[in-house]
Amino acid sequence: MSIPSLPKLGTPPAPAPLRKIALEEHFGHPDLFMRDSEGRFETRKEATIGHLGPEYFEVVQSRLLDFDTTRLQAMDEAGVEKVLLSLTTFGIQAITDRAAAQSTACTVNDFLAERVRAHPDRYVGMASLAMHDAGQAARELERCVNKLGFKGVMVNGYSQIDSEDNLLYLDDERMTPLWEALTALDIPLYIHPRPSHNAAQYDGHPELTGAAWGFAPETAAHALRIVYSGIFDRFPTAKLVLGHLGESLPFLAWRIQHGINFSPNGRFTKKRLVDYLAENIWVTTSGNFSTQALHCTILTMGADRILFSNDYPYEDYAEGGEFIDTVAISESDRRKIAYENAMALYKL
Ligand code: MN
Protein backbone atom coordinates (compact mmCIF):
# COMPACT_ATOMS: atom_id res chain seq x y z
CA MET A 1 0.00 0.00 0.00
CA SER A 2 1.50 3.35 -0.99
CA ILE A 3 1.74 6.23 1.47
CA PRO A 4 -0.56 9.07 0.37
CA SER A 5 1.26 12.32 -0.54
CA LEU A 6 0.46 15.64 1.08
CA PRO A 7 -1.35 17.97 -1.30
CA LYS A 8 0.63 20.97 -2.62
CA LEU A 9 -1.36 24.07 -1.82
CA GLY A 10 0.35 26.53 -4.14
CA THR A 11 3.44 27.27 -6.22
CA PRO A 12 6.40 28.60 -4.21
CA PRO A 13 8.38 31.44 -5.79
CA ALA A 14 11.43 30.39 -7.80
CA PRO A 15 14.76 31.83 -6.62
CA ALA A 16 15.76 34.98 -8.49
CA PRO A 17 18.95 34.53 -10.57
CA LEU A 18 22.03 35.15 -8.42
CA ARG A 19 24.04 38.12 -9.67
CA LYS A 20 27.72 37.20 -10.03
CA ILE A 21 31.05 38.94 -10.56
CA ALA A 22 34.25 36.89 -10.92
CA LEU A 23 37.76 38.22 -10.49
CA GLU A 24 40.34 35.53 -11.14
CA GLU A 25 39.63 35.14 -14.84
CA HIS A 26 42.48 35.01 -17.33
CA PHE A 27 43.40 35.93 -20.86
CA GLY A 28 46.45 35.36 -23.03
CA HIS A 29 48.30 37.60 -25.46
CA PRO A 30 48.54 35.98 -28.91
CA ASP A 31 52.11 37.08 -29.67
CA LEU A 32 53.86 37.18 -26.37
CA PHE A 33 52.96 34.09 -24.43
CA MET A 34 51.35 31.50 -26.59
CA ARG A 35 54.09 30.57 -29.08
CA ASP A 36 57.46 28.89 -28.79
CA SER A 37 60.72 30.22 -30.28
CA GLU A 38 59.80 28.82 -33.71
CA GLY A 39 56.47 30.59 -33.67
CA ARG A 40 54.37 27.48 -33.02
CA PHE A 41 51.68 27.43 -30.39
CA GLU A 42 53.35 26.25 -27.23
CA THR A 43 51.71 23.43 -25.35
CA ARG A 44 54.46 21.11 -24.17
CA LYS A 45 56.14 23.48 -21.71
CA GLU A 46 52.84 24.40 -20.09
CA ALA A 47 51.81 20.76 -20.10
CA THR A 48 54.73 19.84 -17.84
CA ILE A 49 53.08 21.81 -15.03
CA GLY A 50 51.07 19.52 -12.85
CA HIS A 51 48.97 16.76 -14.34
CA LEU A 52 47.61 18.69 -17.30
CA GLY A 53 48.25 17.31 -20.76
CA PRO A 54 48.40 18.95 -24.21
CA GLU A 55 44.71 18.18 -24.86
CA TYR A 56 43.76 20.31 -21.86
CA PHE A 57 45.95 23.17 -23.03
CA GLU A 58 44.58 23.12 -26.58
CA VAL A 59 41.20 24.02 -25.12
CA VAL A 60 42.63 26.42 -22.57
CA GLN A 61 44.63 28.32 -25.18
CA SER A 62 41.67 28.86 -27.47
CA ARG A 63 39.68 30.09 -24.47
CA LEU A 64 42.50 32.37 -23.28
CA LEU A 65 42.60 34.14 -26.64
CA ASP A 66 38.86 34.61 -26.99
CA PHE A 67 37.12 37.74 -25.80
CA ASP A 68 34.08 37.97 -28.06
CA THR A 69 32.31 34.61 -28.30
CA THR A 70 32.75 31.54 -26.08
CA ARG A 71 33.92 33.48 -23.01
CA LEU A 72 30.81 35.66 -23.01
CA GLN A 73 28.60 32.66 -23.73
CA ALA A 74 30.08 30.72 -20.78
CA MET A 75 29.57 33.75 -18.53
CA ASP A 76 25.98 34.14 -19.68
CA GLU A 77 25.13 30.49 -19.07
CA ALA A 78 26.43 30.68 -15.48
CA GLY A 79 24.86 34.09 -14.82
CA VAL A 80 28.21 35.88 -14.47
CA GLU A 81 27.59 39.54 -15.27
CA LYS A 82 31.12 40.88 -15.09
CA VAL A 83 34.67 39.57 -14.83
CA LEU A 84 37.99 41.14 -13.96
CA LEU A 85 40.49 39.95 -16.59
CA SER A 86 44.14 39.25 -15.82
CA LEU A 87 47.10 37.94 -17.82
CA THR A 88 47.53 34.20 -17.31
CA THR A 89 50.41 32.87 -15.23
CA PHE A 90 53.40 33.28 -15.28
CA GLY A 91 52.76 36.46 -17.17
CA ILE A 92 55.33 39.19 -16.77
CA GLN A 93 56.88 37.60 -13.69
CA ALA A 94 58.91 35.04 -15.72
CA ILE A 95 60.46 37.64 -18.06
CA THR A 96 63.94 38.06 -16.60
CA ASP A 97 65.12 40.95 -18.80
CA ARG A 98 64.16 44.29 -17.31
CA ALA A 99 63.43 46.23 -20.50
CA ALA A 100 61.51 43.32 -22.03
CA ALA A 101 59.45 42.79 -18.89
CA GLN A 102 58.54 46.46 -18.61
CA SER A 103 57.64 46.96 -22.26
CA THR A 104 55.70 43.68 -22.39
CA ALA A 105 53.65 44.72 -19.37
CA CYS A 106 52.71 47.98 -21.14
CA THR A 107 51.85 46.14 -24.37
CA VAL A 108 49.67 43.64 -22.52
CA ASN A 109 47.94 46.36 -20.51
CA ASP A 110 47.13 48.31 -23.69
CA PHE A 111 45.91 45.10 -25.37
CA LEU A 112 43.61 44.36 -22.44
CA ALA A 113 42.30 47.92 -22.33
CA GLU A 114 41.14 47.57 -25.94
CA ARG A 115 39.24 44.37 -25.15
CA VAL A 116 37.63 45.97 -22.12
CA ARG A 117 36.60 48.96 -24.24
CA ALA A 118 34.82 46.57 -26.63
CA HIS A 119 32.75 45.07 -23.77
CA PRO A 120 32.71 47.72 -21.03
CA ASP A 121 29.73 46.27 -19.20
CA ARG A 122 31.23 42.75 -19.04
CA TYR A 123 35.00 43.20 -18.58
CA VAL A 124 37.15 45.08 -16.07
CA GLY A 125 40.95 45.29 -16.42
CA MET A 126 43.62 44.14 -14.00
CA ALA A 127 47.12 45.48 -14.52
CA SER A 128 50.22 43.40 -15.23
CA LEU A 129 53.43 44.84 -13.79
CA ALA A 130 57.16 44.16 -14.08
CA MET A 131 58.83 44.17 -10.66
CA HIS A 132 62.41 44.95 -11.71
CA ASP A 133 62.01 48.56 -10.59
CA ALA A 134 59.21 49.30 -8.12
CA GLY A 135 59.14 52.97 -9.12
CA GLN A 136 58.46 52.02 -12.73
CA ALA A 137 55.86 49.47 -11.57
CA ALA A 138 54.15 52.20 -9.56
CA ARG A 139 54.07 54.53 -12.58
CA GLU A 140 52.65 51.79 -14.83
CA LEU A 141 50.04 51.04 -12.17
CA GLU A 142 49.05 54.73 -12.10
CA ARG A 143 48.78 54.73 -15.90
CA CYS A 144 46.61 51.60 -15.82
CA VAL A 145 44.29 53.05 -13.19
CA ASN A 146 44.11 56.67 -14.30
CA LYS A 147 44.40 56.30 -18.11
CA LEU A 148 43.12 52.79 -18.83
CA GLY A 149 40.48 52.56 -16.10
CA PHE A 150 41.78 49.33 -14.54
CA LYS A 151 40.57 48.43 -11.06
CA GLY A 152 43.13 45.92 -9.79
CA VAL A 153 46.55 44.30 -10.15
CA MET A 154 47.38 40.64 -10.68
CA VAL A 155 50.90 39.50 -9.79
CA ASN A 156 51.82 35.94 -10.74
CA GLY A 157 53.88 35.05 -7.67
CA TYR A 158 57.60 35.76 -7.34
CA SER A 159 59.37 37.66 -10.13
CA GLN A 160 62.53 36.36 -11.78
CA ILE A 161 64.83 39.38 -11.91
CA ASP A 162 67.73 39.37 -14.45
CA SER A 163 68.16 35.60 -14.12
CA GLU A 164 65.82 32.67 -13.59
CA ASP A 165 67.32 31.92 -10.17
CA ASN A 166 67.06 35.44 -8.74
CA LEU A 167 63.60 35.51 -7.18
CA LEU A 168 61.90 38.63 -5.88
CA TYR A 169 58.92 38.44 -3.51
CA LEU A 170 56.69 41.41 -2.77
CA ASP A 171 57.87 41.79 0.85
CA ASP A 172 61.24 42.95 -0.51
CA GLU A 173 62.31 46.33 0.87
CA ARG A 174 62.77 47.57 -2.72
CA MET A 175 59.03 47.13 -3.32
CA THR A 176 58.11 50.04 -1.02
CA PRO A 177 57.22 52.44 -3.90
CA LEU A 178 54.74 49.87 -5.23
CA TRP A 179 53.01 49.48 -1.84
CA GLU A 180 52.90 53.29 -1.60
CA ALA A 181 51.20 53.50 -5.00
CA LEU A 182 48.78 50.67 -4.23
CA THR A 183 47.62 52.33 -1.03
CA ALA A 184 47.55 55.84 -2.52
CA LEU A 185 45.35 54.58 -5.39
CA ASP A 186 43.46 52.18 -3.07
CA ILE A 187 43.95 49.25 -5.47
CA PRO A 188 43.83 45.62 -4.28
CA LEU A 189 46.80 43.43 -5.22
CA TYR A 190 45.92 39.85 -6.17
CA ILE A 191 48.70 37.26 -5.87
CA HIS A 192 48.23 34.40 -8.30
CA PRO A 193 50.09 31.08 -7.94
CA ARG A 194 53.01 29.83 -9.93
CA PRO A 195 55.02 26.66 -9.23
CA SER A 196 57.80 26.78 -6.64
CA HIS A 197 61.28 27.26 -8.13
CA ASN A 198 63.63 24.24 -8.05
CA ALA A 199 61.41 22.51 -5.50
CA ALA A 200 63.12 19.21 -4.60
CA GLN A 201 60.15 17.99 -2.62
CA TYR A 202 58.30 17.39 -5.90
CA ASP A 203 61.08 15.40 -7.63
CA GLY A 204 59.42 12.54 -9.46
CA HIS A 205 55.97 13.98 -8.74
CA PRO A 206 55.12 16.55 -11.44
CA GLU A 207 51.45 15.96 -10.68
CA LEU A 208 51.92 17.73 -7.33
CA THR A 209 53.61 20.93 -8.55
CA GLY A 210 50.58 22.83 -9.84
CA ALA A 211 46.95 23.30 -8.93
CA ALA A 212 46.78 19.93 -7.17
CA TRP A 213 49.08 21.07 -4.35
CA GLY A 214 52.25 23.10 -5.09
CA PHE A 215 50.48 26.35 -5.99
CA ALA A 216 48.92 26.61 -2.53
CA PRO A 217 52.02 26.42 -0.26
CA GLU A 218 54.04 28.59 -2.67
CA THR A 219 51.41 31.32 -2.72
CA ALA A 220 50.57 31.03 0.98
CA ALA A 221 54.28 31.45 1.76
CA HIS A 222 54.35 34.58 -0.42
CA ALA A 223 51.40 36.02 1.50
CA LEU A 224 52.98 35.12 4.86
CA ARG A 225 56.24 36.82 3.86
CA ILE A 226 54.18 39.98 3.26
CA VAL A 227 52.33 39.63 6.59
CA TYR A 228 55.35 38.82 8.76
CA SER A 229 57.66 41.37 7.15
CA GLY A 230 55.24 43.95 8.55
CA ILE A 231 53.93 45.34 5.25
CA PHE A 232 50.45 45.73 6.77
CA ASP A 233 51.87 47.47 9.82
CA ARG A 234 53.60 49.97 7.52
CA PHE A 235 50.62 50.16 5.13
CA PRO A 236 47.51 49.50 7.26
CA THR A 237 45.15 50.16 4.34
CA ALA A 238 46.92 47.80 1.90
CA LYS A 239 44.61 45.21 0.33
CA LEU A 240 45.77 41.74 -0.64
CA VAL A 241 43.63 39.17 -2.47
CA LEU A 242 44.36 35.44 -2.64
CA GLY A 243 42.61 32.81 -4.75
CA HIS A 244 41.54 29.24 -4.03
CA LEU A 245 39.89 30.17 -0.71
CA GLY A 246 43.10 31.62 0.67
CA GLU A 247 45.60 28.97 -0.44
CA SER A 248 45.07 27.03 2.87
CA LEU A 249 45.61 30.04 5.19
CA PRO A 250 42.09 30.10 6.72
CA PHE A 251 42.52 26.46 7.75
CA LEU A 252 46.05 26.94 9.12
CA ALA A 253 45.81 30.45 10.59
CA TRP A 254 45.84 29.40 14.25
CA ARG A 255 48.76 27.01 13.87
CA ILE A 256 50.82 29.52 11.86
CA GLN A 257 50.44 32.22 14.50
CA HIS A 258 51.11 29.69 17.26
CA GLY A 259 54.39 28.80 15.57
CA ILE A 260 55.32 32.45 14.95
CA ASN A 261 54.96 33.09 18.69
CA PHE A 262 58.13 31.01 19.06
CA SER A 263 59.86 32.94 16.25
CA PRO A 264 63.62 32.42 16.39
CA ASN A 265 64.42 35.87 15.00
CA GLY A 266 62.34 37.79 17.53
CA ARG A 267 60.57 39.60 14.72
CA PHE A 268 56.91 40.15 15.50
CA THR A 269 54.12 41.99 13.77
CA LYS A 270 51.77 44.35 15.60
CA LYS A 271 48.81 42.02 15.12
CA ARG A 272 48.00 38.34 14.72
CA LEU A 273 47.49 36.62 11.38
CA VAL A 274 43.74 36.40 12.02
CA ASP A 275 43.70 40.18 12.42
CA TYR A 276 45.37 40.72 9.04
CA LEU A 277 42.93 38.19 7.57
CA ALA A 278 40.16 40.38 9.00
CA GLU A 279 41.60 43.72 7.90
CA ASN A 280 43.95 43.43 4.91
CA ILE A 281 43.28 40.15 3.12
CA TRP A 282 40.41 38.96 0.93
CA VAL A 283 40.08 35.54 -0.70
CA THR A 284 38.22 34.19 -3.72
CA THR A 285 36.59 30.85 -4.47
CA SER A 286 38.60 30.32 -7.68
CA GLY A 287 39.05 26.63 -8.45
CA ASN A 288 38.07 25.55 -4.93
CA PHE A 289 34.40 24.64 -4.99
CA SER A 290 34.27 22.80 -1.68
CA THR A 291 31.46 23.34 0.82
CA GLN A 292 33.67 22.34 3.74
CA ALA A 293 36.52 24.64 2.68
CA LEU A 294 34.09 27.54 2.21
CA HIS A 295 32.58 26.96 5.66
CA CYS A 296 36.05 26.97 7.22
CA THR A 297 36.86 30.22 5.39
CA ILE A 298 33.62 31.86 6.53
CA LEU A 299 34.37 30.84 10.13
CA THR A 300 37.92 32.21 9.98
CA MET A 301 37.44 35.36 7.90
CA GLY A 302 33.73 36.10 7.64
CA ALA A 303 31.64 36.18 4.46
CA ASP A 304 32.46 39.86 3.89
CA ARG A 305 36.00 38.91 2.87
CA ILE A 306 35.18 36.14 0.40
CA LEU A 307 34.54 36.82 -3.28
CA PHE A 308 33.27 34.56 -6.00
CA SER A 309 35.76 33.64 -8.73
CA ASN A 310 35.96 30.82 -11.17
CA ASP A 311 39.48 30.71 -12.67
CA TYR A 312 38.32 30.60 -16.28
CA PRO A 313 39.57 29.19 -18.61
CA TYR A 314 41.18 26.62 -16.31
CA GLU A 315 37.81 25.87 -14.70
CA ASP A 316 34.33 25.86 -16.21
CA TYR A 317 31.93 28.63 -15.29
CA ALA A 318 29.15 26.06 -15.11
CA GLU A 319 30.79 24.29 -12.14
CA GLY A 320 31.72 27.44 -10.22
CA GLY A 321 28.34 29.02 -10.92
CA GLU A 322 26.43 25.96 -9.76
CA PHE A 323 28.57 25.86 -6.60
CA ILE A 324 27.82 29.41 -5.48
CA ASP A 325 24.17 29.06 -6.56
CA THR A 326 23.60 26.05 -4.31
CA VAL A 327 26.26 25.79 -1.58
CA ALA A 328 24.82 25.57 1.95
CA ILE A 329 25.27 29.14 3.24
CA SER A 330 22.84 31.91 4.08
CA GLU A 331 21.22 33.84 1.23
CA SER A 332 22.76 36.98 2.66
CA ASP A 333 26.27 35.50 2.52
CA ARG A 334 25.60 34.05 -0.94
CA ARG A 335 24.77 37.50 -2.36
CA LYS A 336 27.79 39.09 -0.69
CA ILE A 337 30.18 36.44 -1.97
CA ALA A 338 28.70 36.26 -5.46
CA TYR A 339 28.43 39.99 -6.16
CA GLU A 340 28.29 42.59 -3.42
CA ASN A 341 31.80 42.14 -1.99
CA ALA A 342 33.40 42.53 -5.43
CA MET A 343 31.37 45.68 -6.13
CA ALA A 344 32.62 47.17 -2.86
CA LEU A 345 36.26 46.02 -2.90
CA TYR A 346 36.89 46.98 -6.53
CA LYS A 347 34.53 50.00 -6.52
CA LEU A 348 32.68 48.79 -9.60
MN1 MN B 1 44.07 31.35 -12.01
Side-chain angles (χ1 to χ4, degrees):
M1 197 171 113
S2 63
I3 303 164
S5 303
L6 289 169
K8 289 212 168 62
L9 299 179
T11 310
L18 183 68
R19 303 187 73 180
K20 302 181 190 86
I21 296 172
L23 43 138
E24 191 194 311
E25 317 306 321
H26 307 300
F27 70 94
H29 189 285
D31 299 332
L32 298 169
F33 294 103
M34 308 309 293
R35 291 174 199 273
D36 65 18
S37 54
E38 271 116 48
R40 297 174 305 215
F41 272 110
E42 174 71 287
T43 55
R44 283 163 203 278
K45 191 172 155 210
E46 300 267 21
T48 60
I49 300 164
H51 60 287
L52 306 167
E55 304 81 11
Y56 178 91
F57 275 99
E58 291 289 343
V59 177
V60 161
Q61 286 186 338
S62 71
R63 288 171 161 198
L64 281 170
L65 296 169
D66 168 67
F67 295 84
D68 302 319
T69 56
T70 51
R71 185 187 296 269
L72 292 168
Q73 190 185 336
M75 286 166 59
D76 287 342
E77 286 176 8
V80 178
E81 290 182 19
K82 238 183 237 300
V83 295
L84 281 80
L85 289 175
S86 51
L87 183 63
T88 193
T89 193
F90 320 137
I92 305 303
Q93 271 58 66
I95 303 177
T96 56
D97 180 75
R98 172 180 164 146
Q102 292 175 347
S103 72
T104 304
C106 292
T107 302
V108 166
N109 290 329
D110 289 338
F111 172 84
L112 176 59
E114 259 177 57
R115 270 70 202 166
V116 171
R117 270 195 292 274
H119 302 280
D121 50 338
R122 307 305 299 279
Y123 296 151
V124 178
M126 276 183 142
S128 294
L129 301 174
M131 296 301 169
H132 294 65
D133 171 350
Q136 189 275 341
R139 288 191 294 280
E140 177 62 6
L141 174 64
E142 281 164 22
R143 186 181 80 90
C144 288
V145 172
N146 294 330
K147 300 257 161 59
L148 305 181
F150 289 3
K151 302 287 188 183
V153 182
M154 178 72 77
V155 181
N156 286 293
Y158 55 84
S159 293
Q160 289 165 296
I161 304 295
D162 303 328
S163 85
E164 289 193 357
D165 295 322
N166 185 25
L167 310 187
L168 182 134
Y169 285 85
L170 295 170
D171 62 301
D172 194 293
E173 195 65 37
R174 290 168 289 176
M175 285 293 102
T176 296
L178 178 63
W179 289 105
E180 287 170 349
L182 286 163
T183 47
L185 295 162
D186 195 23
I187 291 289
L189 183 149
Y190 198 127
I191 301 186
H192 190 276
R194 62 182 298 189
S196 293
H197 187 63
N198 292 339
Q201 70 268 36
Y202 303 126
D203 284 352
H205 287 276
E207 76 280 13
L208 295 178
T209 60
W213 172 245
F215 282 174
E218 170 63 33
T219 312
H222 197 159
L224 291 172
R225 291 176 62 116
I226 291 169
V227 169
Y228 288 109
S229 65
I231 294 280
F232 299 131
D233 293 339
R234 290 166 57 208
F235 299 99
T237 61
K239 295 174 172 172
L240 182 69
V241 185
L242 300 171
H244 316 105
L245 288 174
E247 311 289 4
S248 78
L249 292 181
F251 180 80
L252 290 171
W254 187 92
R255 177 165 164 75
I256 293 164
Q257 188 63 50
H258 185 63
I260 292 288
N261 295 339
F262 299 96
S263 169
N265 58 17
R267 190 171 67 186
F268 294 105
T269 47
K270 288 186 181 159
K271 302 171 197 168
R272 304 164 301 165
L273 178 55
V274 285
D275 300 315
Y276 299 111
L277 287 171
E279 294 170 27
N280 300 98
I281 301 176
W282 284 255
V283 303
T284 76
T285 65
S286 61
N288 193 352
F289 309 129
S290 157
T291 305
Q292 289 84 347
L294 179 61
H295 286 181
C296 171
T297 308
I298 290 174
L299 287 171
T300 304
M301 301 183 66
D304 290 343
R305 312 197 75 80
I306 304 170
L307 306 101
F308 175 67
S309 283
N310 195 70
D311 204 0
Y312 188 88
Y314 300 96
E315 305 284 345
D316 284 319
Y317 275 118
E319 188 175 11
E322 158 93 9
F323 171 71
I324 197 62
D325 278 337
T326 58
V327 64
I329 55 176
S330 74
E331 286 311 302
S332 162
D333 286 352
R334 193 185 315 284
R335 292 173 196 184
K336 286 181 186 174
I337 292 170
Y339 187 84
E340 291 164 13
N341 292 343
M343 291 292 286
L345 181 61
Y346 285 91
K347 301 193 215 68
L348 301 176

